[in-house]
Structures are given as structure tokens and as C-alpha cells.
Amino acid sequence: MNITFDAMPLIAGSITGIGWCEAGQTMTFAELYPENRCKYSFFSDIHGNAVKQIRSFAGGNIGLNISRFPKKLYRLLSVILPLPYSLFFGKKSDITHFFNYIVPPGVRGKTVVTVHDMVYKAFPETVRGRTRFMLDMGLKKSLKRADIVVTDSEFSRSEILRYFPWCGDKLRIVPCGVDTDRFHPCDDKRKIARVKASLGIEGDYFLYLGTIEPRKNLERLIRAYAAICKKISDPPKLVLAGGKGWLYDGIFSRVKALGLENQVIFTKYVPSDDMNALMCGAVAFVFPSLYEGFGMPPLEAMACGVPVLVSDAASLPEVTGDCAVIVDPYDVKSIACGLYRLYMDKALRDDLSRRGLERAQRFTWEKSACLLYNIYKELES
């Protein structure tokens, strides 16, 4: 098969979960099924760094199909005019897979689209305005254009059917995996100490790693943390690591209002090579999000052998099973009790660490790639 992967999620300045999901699935697919001819397609201006970045993912298994047409101009024009995708990337693909919700018009061959969640419908107030506009304008058309719609979890499948019940026959579930080369237990105390020092972290800490935005429920997490600081004489720090997302001012203001500026640490950008040590140095990983289509960070923490706290919302219990402390994301007291238990009960942390490692082994990119292969073969028949 001639298979094209739309690589736009892989050329962002800092790659988000959508990009890492595409990287894991496509790189593993190309390695496991080399009989297929795979290419990354993307827009890149002559002076951009996109080609260099994509080559780091492509290796020797995936070719490049580059259009020098300006990406921003294409996006602007495509809102007004149905510019055929094939005009920029040709007509030779049997299957083209888009990993970020939108299938443009005029794609030759069969199409697959990954729709990760329905947060723009379920919690529209937490989504950036331009993203909400793009999905309001384009998602329904994309679902109709696609031959198959992939999503990450049973929860996300039910959410898509809730808003688009007519596309049930197209839906397939392909769970994300975890890259154990990047996320694994680390007992190198010197490396952990170096990473902590580079981020201004001293002593024990709870870790959140993800986008700083409202749906991650960080204001309630901060309030819960403030509550346990009153009960513990020398509390661990709360480290919030990740890029700024949407409507984040309230999160920073909450820290200041509670007088926690010396206890809550907002890190600078964490390089990919430092994430494993940052995870492994934490007392626990905390992720009380209101809505997730899958929730890769808790899975990555479990793969590091780090005990995890998550909310009982959306897909998170589906991912962590009974291998995490589960809290009510709308109840500050519930989150505080979970934090307190994790910090005070070493036996609980050790048990969650062991069982979390075992559960993380169920989620591999090899399984994801195999499921994709079956989907592509289904379209070929």
C-alpha cells in the first residue's frame, strides 16, 4: 500500500499529545510493516525547520512529501475555498491518514481521520476560540469525508456517537501506547538531581506534566494542595510542568492568592530528554483533569514506576484501571485526601508503582500499529 501520514502535528514548536501519538503509531507502523510505502506529507517554507524535524521521525522507513506552499496561507484560503489536497501532495496515495481531526477536501484515495476527543463540545469554554471555530466549521465535513474514523478510547467513541450518532459504522478504537525508551524507571540519582536543579526544584514534589489550561483542573488541584500544606509540617512542592494553553491566568492568580509562590513551581519548557528523570524523581504524578480523550501523561508516569493520582472523569479510569488513586475532580476535599494518602502512605505508593508498571505494559505502540494495519487492510479490500 502507498500510505501518506499528514505530518502537521509533528512540526509544531513544542509537540503536544496529538503529535506524540502520531509519532508513536506511524514510526512503529513503518518499522513493523516495511512492505508498505509510507510518506509524511506537510507544508514547509524554504527557510523553516520542519524538514529537519520531520526527518528525525521519518528515519529510513518513511519518505517525505513536501509542499512549499505557505502553511498559514493554505489554512486561510481553505476556509474560503475548497482547495484540493491533491493539488499540493499529488494523487498517488492509496490511503491518507490525518491525525488532527480535519480531513481537507480533494484527497485522492481512501481517508482515515483520528478524532481524539469531543472536548470542544463537552467543555467549549475551555477550548481556544480559533480551535473551536475550526472544529465547528470543519469536523462534521471531515467525518463525512473520512472512510474510517479512529479514536483513542471507548470513552471517546461514546462521546463521538453522542454528538455524531450517524458515523457509528466508521468508528474504530486504536489506544495510544507508551514509549518505554523515553519513559521507564530511572534510579540514576545524579541525573534526577541535575534535572531538578535545572528547574529550580528542591526536595520532594508532586508532579503535574501537561498543558496549563482550565480543563486540566489545576485551580482545584492548587486549592487541594493548599489544604494539605496546612496538615504537613514540611510539605512536598507542587511542580506544574508544561506549556501555557488557554485561559491560564486564573491558575497563576490562584497560586498568588493562596500565598503559595514558594511552594508551587511553574517550570520552564522541559526538554524531552529530561522528562523521564523529572517523572521518576516525583513522589507521585497528579492529573485530576476534567476531560481527556485518552490521557497519555498518567500512562507515561506508570511506565516510570511512579504512583499516580487521576480523576474519575472521562477516559482516565479506562487507562489507569485500579492502579491509581482515583478522586472526584469537582471536589477539592477529595483531591486533597488523595494527595495526603499518597504522601503519607509509602506502602500505597510502592503498591501503585508495581501495579502501574504492569498495567503500562499493556499499552504499546506495537499494538496500536497492528490495529492501524488492520484498518488500512480493511480499506484496501
Side-chain angles (χ1 to χ4, degrees):
M1 293 180 284
N2 288 310
I3 302 171
T4 291
F5 305 123
D6 174 64
M8 296 311 291
L10 298 178
I11 61 175
S14 65
I15 298 175
T16 65
I18 291 175
W20 288 119
C21 178
E22 175 174 0
Q25 290 178 352
T26 57
M27 292 166 66
T28 307
F29 178 89
E31 183 178 351
L32 292 181
Y33 305 103
E35 69 275 13
N36 300 289
R37 292 173 293 280
C38 300
K39 288 185 177 180
Y40 283 135
S41 67
F42 58 102
F43 292 96
S44 175
D45 61 53
I46 295 173
H47 304 292
N49 295 319
V51 175
K52 181 179 179 181
Q53 190 161 330
I54 292 296
R55 280 185 176 144
S56 69
F57 293 107
N61 298 318
I62 304 175
L64 306 185
N65 186 8
I66 307 168
S67 171
R68 296 298 184 183
F69 194 83
K71 175 181 65 175
K72 291 182 179 179
L73 181 58
Y74 172 78
R75 285 181 175 173
L76 177 64
L77 291 175
S78 63
V79 173
I80 306 167
L81 303 170
L83 293 173
Y85 186 82
S86 59
L87 182 67
F88 303 93
F89 296 108
K91 306 175 182 179
K92 296 182 179 179
S93 293
D94 300 314
I95 297 168
T96 303
H97 190 157
F98 298 89
F99 289 82
N100 196 14
Y101 296 84
I102 298 299
V103 177
V107 182
R108 290 300 178 99
K110 303 289 187 177
T111 59
V112 178
V113 66
T114 298
V115 176
H116 298 275
D117 59 44
M118 286 282 106
V119 68
Y120 90 103
K121 290 281 194 184
F123 290 92
E125 71 279 4
T126 69
V127 178
R128 193 184 299 272
R130 67 187 183 201
T131 301
R132 193 167 65 245
F133 173 78
M134 178 192 73
L135 293 172
D136 279 333
M137 292 291 292
L139 184 56
K140 185 176 181 179
K141 293 177 182 177
S142 290
L143 294 174
K144 289 184 175 180
R145 288 172 183 151
D147 294 286
I148 285 181
V149 179
V150 169
T151 195
D152 305 329
S153 63
E154 183 59 48
F155 168 78
S156 285
R157 180 182 183 277
S158 68
E159 286 286 275
I160 294 169
L161 289 176
R162 176 182 169 192
Y163 296 105
F164 302 99
W166 46 266
C167 70
D169 290 343
K170 294 182 177 185
L171 279 169
R172 308 289 185 272
I173 298 173
V174 180
C176 300
V178 60
D179 183 351
T180 53
D181 289 333
R182 293 179 66 222
F183 298 100
H184 53 82
C186 172
D187 56 5
D188 186 341
K189 293 182 180 179
R190 287 183 298 179
K191 183 174 182 180
I192 292 172
R194 177 185 61 76
V195 171
K196 287 175 62 176
S198 73
L199 297 171
I201 303 169
E202 296 181 359
D204 293 337
Y205 60 98
F206 293 120
L207 174 66
Y208 164 85
L209 180 61
T211 309
I212 308 298
E213 62 183 358
R215 74 177 169 106
K216 303 301 184 178
N217 205 26
L218 298 181
E219 286 198 52
R220 288 192 185 91
L221 172 61
I222 292 164
R223 288 166 58 197
Y225 174 72
I228 72 160
C229 284
K230 297 176 181 178
K231 298 176 66 175
I232 301 171
S233 59
D234 186 19
K237 298 289 196 295
L238 175 60
V239 176
L240 304 179
K244 294 178 181 177
W246 169 247
L247 296 175
Y248 52 78
D249 287 342
I251 297 165
F252 291 88
S253 297
R254 180 68 62 180
V255 172
K256 188 174 182 179
L258 292 170
L260 295 172
E261 295 98 323
N262 294 327
Q263 291 295 113
V264 178
I265 300 171
F266 291 93
T267 72
K268 60 186 179 182
Y269 173 73
V270 181
S272 178
D273 291 343
D274 289 346
M275 286 184 183
N276 186 65
L278 181 64
M279 285 271 201
C280 291
V283 171
F285 184 81
V286 294
F287 202 78
S289 183
L290 297 174
Y291 193 98
E292 297 290 331
F294 183 79
M296 288 178 67
L299 179 62
E300 291 163 349
M302 290 194 298
C304 291
V306 178
V308 167
L309 176 148
V310 295
S311 67
D312 62 4
S315 65
L316 291 171
E318 187 178 337
V319 173
T320 63
D322 62 354
C323 302
V325 170
I326 308 291
V327 300
D328 180 348
Y330 295 97
D331 186 343
V332 172
K333 185 176 179 180
S334 175
I335 301 171
C337 287
L339 293 174
Y340 186 79
R341 283 182 62 208
L342 274 171
Y343 186 65
M344 300 301 292
D345 192 340
K346 185 178 184 303
L348 172 64
R349 295 200 305 271
D350 290 344
D351 180 56
L352 292 177
S353 173
R354 176 184 57 79
R355 292 193 290 117
L357 270 169
E358 292 173 357
R359 185 166 182 85
Q361 292 171 8
R362 303 183 192 180
F363 295 88
T364 69
W365 291 122
E366 286 77 13
K367 289 182 180 179
S368 289
C370 180
L371 290 169
L372 279 186
Y373 177 77
N374 292 336
I375 287 169
Y376 298 157
K377 293 298 287 185
E378 180 183 347
L379 289 176
E380 187 188 38
S381 61

